[in-house]
Amino acid sequence: MHLESVYTTNRIVGSNPTLSAIIKGFIDYFKIEINFILNRLHKMYLKLILFFFSCLFLSQIVLADSATLNNGGTTNSQQAIDGDDEFLTVTNNSTLNTGATKPANVTGDTVSVTVDSGSTITSNTISIFADDTSDLTISNSGTISASGIVAIDVKGTTDASITNNSGGQISSTRNTIRISKSASNNTTGMTITNSGTIEATTDGSAIFASGSTATATVTNNSSGIMTNSDSSNATIRVGTSSSVTNSGTIKNDVGNDAIKLYGNNSTITLKDRGIIVGKLDATARTGSTLKINHGIGQSYFYETEGDFTLKDLDGNQVVKGSAGSVGQGGSETLDELLSYKSLNIRQFLNRYKDLENLPYNNGWGETYTSFLNREGHASNLALEYDLINVGVNLISPLENSDFILAFEAGTQDFKKDHKITYQNISAGLNLPNNKYLLNLDSFILGGVTLKESERTILTNTTSSGKLDIDSNYQTFELHSGVTKNNPKLIPNLGLAGSFSITPSYDESHYFSWRNRKVGNISLFFSDKYNLIDSSESNLNLGWTLDFRSLVGEKSQVYSINGTSATYKQDNALTREISLITNLGYEKKITDNGKFTLGLIAKNTNQDVKSLNANFGFKLNF
């Protein structure tokens, strides 16, 4: 306050006693209120301090043995986690290593142990030990290792969970993860999920159930690797009512056990592209089940010991005598390929007939290429494949008929690691206005197809978990048909038949095929419309509607490793309706010569789509 203001105030107060008393009363009142407020704030501050230290004290009591090791160096003291709801976290490239046993010793319930990427828990004997606990959670993205006995020992524990994440490493020179009973409790409800590497480097098992009552659920994801090194012990051994599901890699030496069921009523499930090396063993066990889920048409052969109930979850036919299945594409599509060849010849003869108005006796040749795709269907085990081929059709007039010569080569590529390459040669006669068949146009053609089959199977009998097998075989074919050519506006009508015999043959490993006879009957309608028609050129649009049905054998007898089986083709795969449209162009280039171009598209009720392009040239020769 300025001096002038102070002087003025004092002068006024001094000259008025009543006003002075009032002001003094107000000042005393405010002093009392300010002291009261300061006293309350002081007490609240003390309470807050007391509350903070009380919470800190209680937290130290509740989590007295919880720890986070994040110093980036090595901690040598044992971490005893003996209270409920405690935790141990090793992070920031830190290492826990006592140099002896049990650097992480868990005896409390609902405990979590976390090892982050770049961090390590290691010891000479047992690195993480859990004894008579429940609800233990171990999550590893770093390294858990033991140079002595066990990396993780779970003993007499209920509902434990071990997750080894992608990039995580769990290893031991002996049993890497051991599941055992304590004096009073079995280990039950154990869950192990692996997306990294779990390895027994010298002896023992990657996962080892010490007794038949140790229950575990093991899931090895697609990136997961579980291995033994030079071990006569199983890579994974689990007890009663356990399950092992593999989508990754589980390896032992060939001839030793990859997975051993050490108790009754346990299940192994092999999924996706998962690799197994070593036997699947259920010796002296009951209620064992082997489920396979590799996809429709995937071929496999697994060596087993003991009695398994076999189930293929995709519907493939699995054969006992170990466990094997083979994609039936090469057998199941015989009738389809037979009908496509018949249709190709019929369309070729139609194009030739359109060129008959040229002078002289003319021959004609055309080349073609086509691409065909069939979708797969789980309901009837129709296998997806692509077919690519190239071919040449030649025709030369004879006195009352035409001589046909046809060459074709192609590849039939199935989705599940099976490919068939083939070469076909066929010869026959075209008989226009056949007087022995009511003056109908007719043809007959015979040929042979040489086939080379290559397939890759999943198997536990090789060090890679896969095996390439091959075979060479033949199919002998006969095609014939008649056509009634009608006037304009009335479609042409025809009937065609095909027949093939594929003699018995063996593949290089495991699979053998009994001879199969296949026949087709087709009823078809067709017509063509000229869009441009002159003496020099022609542009036309045509269509064909084809109804095909298989006749004769629907079954294929085959064997896997000497065990015979029969595959019966689904009825839906034996009948086919095809709609074909074609666009053609002809150009006269000489008085007795023309060249032709054509584009053919096809769609069927079996989800087959194809596109064919052809180029032809007609001259005297």
Side-chain angles (χ1 to χ4, degrees):
M1 183 178 293
H2 296 292
L3 291 176
E4 182 179 355
S5 300
V6 172
Y7 172 77
T8 304
T9 302
N10 288 338
R11 188 178 56 162
I12 294 172
V13 171
S15 62
N16 192 337
T18 303
L19 181 61
S20 177
I22 292 171
I23 292 173
K24 185 177 183 302
F26 272 113
I27 292 172
D28 291 340
Y29 172 77
F30 282 118
K31 284 181 178 180
I32 293 170
E33 288 297 319
I34 289 170
N35 287 333
F36 175 77
I37 292 170
L38 290 175
N39 186 50
R40 291 289 301 272
L41 289 173
H42 179 68
K43 289 180 178 180
M44 288 178 63
Y45 179 70
L46 289 176
K47 287 181 180 180
L48 287 171
I49 292 175
L50 288 173
F51 178 75
F52 172 77
F53 282 105
S54 297
C55 290
L56 182 63
F57 176 73
L58 288 173
S59 68
Q60 293 299 312
I61 292 175
V62 172
L63 300 176
D65 294 321
S66 293
T68 298
L69 309 182
N70 63 355
N71 58 8
T74 300
T75 299
N76 302 117
S77 57
Q78 184 187 67
Q79 304 298 303
I81 313 167
D82 53 8
D84 295 347
D85 300 305
E86 295 179 2
F87 66 86
L88 170 64
T89 300
V90 185
T91 188
N92 193 29
N93 298 313
S94 302
T95 297
L96 173 60
N97 181 8
T98 64
T101 188
K102 305 176 186 177
N105 187 33
V106 180
T107 54
D109 293 336
T110 320
V111 166
S112 65
V113 178
T114 303
V115 182
D116 287 339
S117 178
S119 297
T120 301
I121 298 178
T122 186
S123 73
N124 295 334
T125 51
I126 301 174
S127 295
I128 299 177
F129 180 68
D131 188 12
D132 281 323
T133 69
S134 65
D135 299 306
L136 168 69
T137 300
I138 298 174
S139 178
N140 177 57
S141 299
T143 300
I144 302 172
S145 65
S147 58
I149 301 174
V150 180
I152 301 174
D153 193 353
V154 180
K155 186 176 183 181
T157 294
T158 303
D159 297 331
S161 173
I162 299 174
T163 301
N164 190 39
N165 298 309
S166 180
Q169 302 275 335
I170 305 176
S171 65
S172 174
T173 54
R174 291 184 61 187
N175 297 317
T176 305
I177 298 176
R178 183 167 66 185
I179 309 164
S180 58
K181 62 181 293 186
S182 66
S184 57
N185 294 318
N186 290 319
T187 293
T188 59
M190 180 79 179
T191 300
I192 301 171
T193 303
N194 179 50
S195 299
T197 299
I198 301 176
E199 181 181 15
T201 59
T202 302
D203 196 5
S205 300
I207 297 173
F208 179 78
S210 63
S212 62
T213 57
T215 302
T217 299
V218 180
T219 302
N220 192 40
N221 292 325
S222 58
S223 62
I225 300 172
M226 298 186 182
T227 64
N228 276 17
S229 178
D230 299 322
S231 177
S232 58
N233 296 298
T235 305
I236 298 175
R237 189 172 95 162
V238 291
T240 298
S241 301
S242 295
S243 70
V244 178
T245 300
N246 180 56
S247 298
T249 299
I250 299 174
K251 277 191 172 185
N252 202 338
D253 290 340
V254 174
N256 294 328
D257 291 341
I259 303 172
K260 184 178 181 64
L261 302 183
Y262 198 55
N264 299 331
N265 303 316
S266 292
T267 299
I268 298 171
T269 304
L270 308 181
K271 295 185 63 177
D272 307 320
R273 305 289 295 167
I275 297 297
I276 296 287
V277 179
K279 291 182 293 186
L280 308 175
D281 191 352
T283 302
R285 305 299 168 187
T286 61
S288 303
T289 302
L290 175 58
K291 298 180 180 180
I292 300 169
N293 192 194
H294 290 317
I296 300 172
Q298 177 62 57
S299 302
Y300 54 83
F301 176 78
Y302 293 112
E303 185 179 356
T304 64
E305 287 191 355
D307 186 25
F308 281 96
T309 298
L310 304 180
K311 296 181 180 180
D312 190 299
L313 303 183
D314 300 293
N316 300 307
Q317 189 169 8
V318 58
V319 178
K320 296 196 73 169
S322 291
S325 182
V326 60
Q328 298 285 338
S331 170
E332 180 260 302
T333 60
L334 281 172
D335 58 319
E336 288 184 24
L337 299 187
L338 199 62
S339 71
Y340 302 158
K341 180 67 175 179
S342 173
L343 183 60
N344 177 284
I345 293 297
R346 281 148 40 198
Q347 292 178 322
F348 166 67
L349 294 177
N350 287 339
R351 290 190 291 272
Y352 174 68
K353 185 177 182 65
D354 292 337
L355 300 174
E356 286 183 339
N357 58 352
L358 284 177
Y360 315 113
N361 292 325
N362 310 111
W364 182 45
E366 71 170 14
T367 64
Y368 63 89
T369 183
S370 64
F371 172 79
L372 179 148
N373 170 262
R374 184 179 83 168
E375 295 291 336
H377 289 283
S379 60
N380 54 21
L381 297 183
L383 302 186
E384 181 179 348
Y385 70 87
D386 294 329
L387 177 68
I388 301 174
N389 60 19
V390 294
V392 176
N393 294 325
L394 303 172
I395 191 166
S396 178
L398 300 175
E399 184 174 351
N400 296 311
S401 61
D402 303 298
F403 177 70
I404 306 169
L405 187 62
F407 303 91
E408 183 176 291
T411 299
Q412 188 180 17
D413 193 356
F414 293 92
K415 184 177 181 181
K416 291 293 185 178
D417 297 326
H418 184 205
K419 181 183 291 186
I420 300 173
T421 58
Y422 68 90
Q423 300 84 37
N424 172 271
I425 181 170
S426 300
L429 295 175
N430 177 43
L431 303 164
N433 301 312
N434 190 339
K435 63 182 181 180
Y436 299 106
L437 289 173
L438 304 176
N439 294 320
L440 302 176
D441 288 347
S442 62
F443 73 92
I444 185 167
L445 192 78
V448 59
T449 303
L450 307 178
K451 299 182 179 181
E452 297 179 7
S453 171
E454 297 177 349
R455 69 171 93 229
T456 299
I457 71 170
L458 300 174
T459 182
N460 59 352
T461 62
T462 66
S463 59
S464 66
K466 296 182 179 181
L467 181 63
D468 294 329
I469 62 177
D470 55 62
S471 62
N472 294 280
Y473 61 103
Q474 305 84 36
T475 297
F476 300 95
E477 305 170 0
L478 182 67
H479 304 274
S480 64
V482 295
T483 303
K484 170 61 175 173
N485 295 301
N486 294 312
K488 290 183 178 180
L489 302 179
I490 301 176
N492 301 325
L493 172 65
L495 186 68
S498 299
F499 180 75
S500 75
I501 299 176
T502 303
S504 301
Y505 65 97
D506 297 330
E507 299 190 19
S508 55
H509 292 84
Y510 302 122
F511 306 121
S512 297
W513 303 87
R514 194 77 56 84
N515 69 84
R516 189 176 181 204
K517 305 177 184 68
V518 172
N520 283 327
I521 292 291
S522 293
L523 175 67
F524 59 90
F525 302 89
S526 65
D527 209 347
K528 188 186 78 167
Y529 311 101
N530 291 320
L531 305 178
I532 298 175
D533 191 13
S534 69
S535 60
E536 298 296 324
S537 62
N538 176 271
L539 179 66
N540 57 78
L541 178 67
W543 60 269
T544 300
L545 185 61
D546 186 275
F547 300 87
R548 176 187 67 86
S549 179
L550 181 146
V551 294
E553 295 181 4
K554 297 181 181 180
S555 299
Q556 172 68 63
V557 179
Y558 67 103
S559 66
I560 300 179
N561 202 36
T563 301
S564 183
T566 300
Y567 164 79
K568 187 174 182 180
Q569 195 167 337
D570 191 279
N571 285 333
L573 298 177
T574 65
R575 296 183 293 270
E576 187 173 33
I577 302 174
S578 301
L579 177 62
I580 304 102
T581 58
N582 54 278
L583 183 66
Y585 177 73
E586 302 170 8
K587 176 66 176 178
K588 184 177 179 180
I589 55 175
T590 68
D591 288 340
N592 63 339
K594 281 187 178 183
F595 80 86
T596 63
L597 292 173
L599 191 64
I600 303 171
K602 178 174 64 176
N603 194 8
T604 83
N605 66 328
Q606 290 191 17
D607 286 333
V608 175
K609 297 176 177 62
S610 72
L611 189 64
N612 176 291
N614 58 75
F615 172 80
F617 197 72
K618 182 173 182 180
L619 281 175
N620 278 332
F621 66 86

